[in-house]
Amino acid sequence: AARIEDSRLAGNTAGGGGGLFIAAGTLNLARTEISDNDADAGGGLFVGPAAEAAVERATLAGNTARQGG
């Protein structure tokens, strides 16, 4: 499991998950801003079918993707 707290993931570009990409496993995200990222799929956050994410008091804003938000 990965845990990200009190962080800012901003202004990134990727094929999948501009701000953050998790293909498998567990992500715990708390008090984090994911903003102004760009990707083909999952502009701010991409969570694959073999992954799960728990998000607590996070801000996702201004991210863009061509598919999958």
Side-chain angles (χ1 to χ4, degrees):
R3 182 163 185 87
I4 298 174
E5 298 179 335
D6 304 311
S7 298
R8 182 171 184 253
L9 307 170
N12 301 293
T13 301
L20 188 59
F21 182 100
I22 179 168
T26 302
L27 170 68
N28 294 297
L29 188 68
R31 300 175 309 279
T32 294
E33 175 187 337
I34 301 176
S35 62
D36 303 316
N37 300 290
D38 180 70
D40 291 332
L45 174 63
F46 182 92
V47 180
E52 44 182 79
V55 179
E56 174 187 338
R57 290 188 292 168
T59 301
L60 284 86
N63 300 292
T64 57
R66 276 142 301 290
Q67 65 179 7

